């Protein structure tokens, strides 16, 4: 079973602190996020300038990510190894291109994108998924190009061979809401974009060329279907008829790759939200992860026959995740309505989508257990079909 990631943090003074914090508002302690621990920790200064040790552990020295003093204010830490460590944290090292900061407003948009990316990366690490910068592994690594459109040179959010391009205008609330209304989407967020696009990357990394490809095609459809033609059909003719019974969203019906990416993004929504809810005591504890019995709800929206494989060892735990997800989202939707806000989770899970989510759950579980076999060669299978190159004003990170 894949691990959970705690989101309920406390300073050493006992007061609550949060994922984005760089200092405790109660006691003033410096805070930093330690990615390999999945924890926000209080720090104490050392005799060396700009060096810290974690509260209660003076044997290991850290320093802040170089981008702490930049527009994004990154609060992640880098373990100090005596001078050879990269100046940037793992999340910031994934940014291959950053926007031109001389352009008014780009600094704030960059800050918002990087904040969402840190949330994404922390969760990927918590799930046990490989997160390696493309600079370290050009063939299988991951990189982000964070670009701003120029006159006559629009930037399209998308993925190609390990590079995720993000139009940073998606971090502007007004721009994103116009796009959401234009495309008739019930839900459009910056973090949602990142989760969707990284799904394409993990399809290349974990599915393509592996034993998982055939069952993936049987469930999601044949990815060899003409991608450009499928997207053109979707945008000119609208969603496939009856998509609500087969897909997690209207866009998922455009092409098997998009069905995969939409399902992957929703799986990350589910896991991170439940990890957060569990951290704050809003759902039952994780004893069931350790093989303890847990009483199932008397009325269940899903059953074993809805899973990808009813006999898979993860079946019972995944159904519990789904039951908790339905319970949490129902309450959160009502809370949103009580505040006059749109629904927290404006989706309905059809049984066909549940099977796809379970497939992704099984794939991640197999990766964590080392049961995926040899990794595939990453190919340009769908290349630059969804990505437009950035303009000359974009600069390398």
């Amino acid at each position: 079973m894949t691990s959970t990631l705690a989101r309920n943090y406390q300073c050493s003074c006992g007061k609550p602190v949060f994922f984005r914090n760089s200092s405790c508002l109660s006691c003033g302690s410096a805070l930093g996020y330690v990615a390999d621990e999945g924890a926000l920790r209080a720090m104490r200064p050392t005799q060396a300038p700009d060096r810290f040790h974690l509260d209660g552990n003076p044997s290991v020295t850290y320093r802040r990510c170089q981008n702490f003093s930049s527009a994004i204010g990154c609060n992640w830490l880098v373990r100090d190894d005596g001078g050879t460590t990269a100046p940037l944290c793992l999340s910031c090292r994934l940014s291959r291109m950053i926007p031109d900061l001389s352009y008014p407003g780009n600094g704030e948009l960059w800050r918002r994108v990087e904040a969402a990316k840190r949330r994404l990366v922390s969760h990927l690490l918590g799930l046990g998924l490989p997160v390696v910068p493309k600079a370290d592994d050009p063939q299988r690594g991951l990189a982000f190009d964070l670009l701003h459109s120029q006159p006559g040179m629009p930037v399209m959010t998308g993925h190609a061979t390990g590079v995720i391009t993000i139009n940073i205008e998606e971090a502007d609330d007004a721009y994103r809401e116009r796009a959401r209304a234009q495309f008739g989407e019930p839900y459009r967020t910056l973090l949602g974009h990142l989760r969707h696009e990284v799904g394409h990357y993990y399809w290349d990394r974990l599915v393509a060329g592996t034993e998982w490809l055939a069952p993936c095609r049987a469930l999601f459809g044949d990815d060899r279907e003409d991608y450009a033609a499928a997207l053109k059909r979707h945008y000119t003719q609208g969603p496939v008829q009856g998509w609500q019974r087969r897909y997690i969203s209207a866009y998922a019906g455009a092409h098997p790759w998009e069905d995969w990416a939409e399902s992957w993004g929703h799986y990350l929504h589910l896991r991170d939200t439940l990890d957060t809810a569990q951290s704050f005591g809003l759902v039952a504890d994780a004893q069931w992860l350790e093989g303890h019995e847990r009483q199932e709800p008397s009325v269940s929206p899903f059953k074993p026959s809805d899973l990808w494989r009813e006999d898979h060892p993860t079946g019972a735990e995944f159904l519990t995740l789904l039951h908790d997800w339905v319970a949490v989202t129902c309450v959160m939707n009502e809370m949103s309505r009580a505040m006059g806000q749109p629904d927290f989770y404006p989706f309905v899970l059809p049984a066909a989508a549940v099977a796809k989510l379970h497939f992704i759950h099984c794939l991640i579980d197999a990766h964590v257990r080392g049961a995926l076999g040899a990794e595939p060669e990453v190919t340009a299978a769908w290349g630059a079909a969804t990505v437009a190159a950035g303009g000359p004003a974009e600069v390398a990170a």
Side-chain angles (χ1 to χ4, degrees):
M1 170 64 193
T2 49
S3 61
T4 58
L5 179 65
R7 293 295 192 184
N8 184 8
Y9 309 109
Q10 283 189 333
C11 178
S12 57
C13 71
K15 299 297 184 180
V17 291
F18 302 94
F19 181 65
R20 298 185 182 186
N21 291 162
S22 57
S23 64
C24 175
L25 296 180
S26 295
C27 70
S29 293
L31 302 173
Y33 187 77
V34 185
D36 57 1
E37 294 182 7
L40 187 68
R41 301 287 299 276
M43 305 185 299
R44 298 289 177 259
T46 68
Q47 294 181 347
D50 302 321
R51 297 298 189 268
F52 304 85
H53 63 75
L54 303 181
D55 194 32
N57 183 16
S59 62
V60 181
T61 304
Y62 291 85
R63 54 181 174 74
R64 289 196 179 277
C65 172
Q66 183 174 282
N67 273 335
F68 175 70
S69 58
S70 75
I72 68 173
C74 177
N75 70 336
W76 283 30
L77 300 180
V78 178
R79 185 164 177 159
D80 186 37
D81 62 1
T84 62
T85 309
L88 297 175
C89 71
L90 173 60
S91 180
C92 287
R93 289 181 62 224
L94 294 171
S95 294
R96 190 179 71 166
M97 301 282 284
I98 65 172
D100 178 5
L101 299 182
S102 68
Y103 189 90
N106 272 5
E108 174 60 20
L109 297 181
W110 180 40
R111 184 191 67 79
R112 296 177 186 179
V113 174
E114 291 286 359
K117 178 158 68 69
R118 287 195 294 275
R119 182 84 186 200
L120 170 74
V121 173
S122 69
H123 189 215
L124 297 175
L125 293 172
L127 289 172
L129 289 165
V131 183
V132 180
K134 209 165 186 61
D136 296 345
D137 187 344
Q139 185 177 24
R140 295 192 178 94
L142 176 64
F144 290 81
D145 287 349
L146 312 178
L147 311 178
H148 191 285
S149 297
Q150 303 297 319
M153 302 181 69
V155 173
M156 303 298 292
T157 292
H159 166 269
T161 59
V163 178
I164 293 174
T165 300
I166 298 292
N167 179 356
I168 64 167
E169 292 171 287
E170 289 288 347
D172 179 86
D173 294 341
Y175 173 95
R176 193 174 59 253
E177 176 59 21
R178 287 194 300 270
R180 188 197 67 77
Q182 176 185 352
F183 294 110
E185 299 171 342
Y187 175 93
R188 188 183 182 99
T189 67
L190 186 54
L191 183 55
H193 276 306
L194 294 173
R195 286 171 171 164
H196 174 101
E197 298 304 335
V198 85
H200 289 303
Y201 166 73
Y202 283 111
W203 190 92
D204 276 351
R205 182 78 190 256
L206 303 179
V207 176
T210 74
E211 61 187 15
W212 290 81
L213 180 58
C216 184
R217 284 174 173 168
L219 190 59
F220 291 87
D222 194 337
D223 53 275
R224 291 166 293 190
E225 176 189 354
D226 189 303
Y227 182 71
L231 287 192
K232 181 178 180 180
R233 182 174 62 249
H234 173 81
Y235 286 117
T236 57
Q237 301 178 15
V240 296
Q241 188 173 7
W243 66 265
Q244 297 91 340
R245 299 187 300 273
R246 300 165 54 195
Y247 302 103
I248 193 68
S249 69
Y251 187 55
H255 186 275
W257 273 326
E258 298 306 334
D259 191 13
W260 164 269
E262 286 285 273
S263 300
W264 178 277
H266 276 73
Y267 180 81
L268 295 189
H269 290 333
L270 181 154
R271 290 301 304 272
D272 199 4
T273 301
L274 287 180
D275 283 352
T276 302
Q278 184 173 291
S279 296
F280 285 89
L282 300 182
V283 295
D285 62 33
Q287 285 188 338
W288 57 277
L289 294 177
E290 302 169 4
H292 296 277
E293 292 185 1
R294 174 176 171 178
Q295 186 174 357
E296 293 296 330
S298 57
V299 178
S300 170
F302 303 109
K303 50 190 182 300
S305 59
D306 294 323
L307 300 176
W308 169 55
R309 277 181 46 190
E310 186 174 349
D311 61 344
H312 196 275
T314 66
E317 66 193 18
F318 185 73
L319 283 175
T320 298
L321 285 175
L322 286 179
H323 301 155
D324 288 344
W325 177 241
V326 171
V328 167
T329 54
C330 284
V331 172
M332 291 303 298
N333 280 346
E334 286 301 317
M335 295 288 285
S336 296
R337 295 162 192 164
M339 289 295 293
Q341 296 292 325
D343 281 359
F344 168 82
Y345 184 72
F347 299 94
V348 175
L349 283 175
V354 167
K356 296 168 186 177
L357 293 174
H358 185 225
F359 179 90
I360 292 169
H361 184 81
C362 294
L363 176 72
I364 294 175
D365 178 75
H367 170 77
V368 171
R369 292 186 293 103
L372 281 183
E375 290 195 2
E377 296 292 317
V378 177
T379 67
W382 54 289
T386 60
V387 181
E394 310 302 338
V395 297

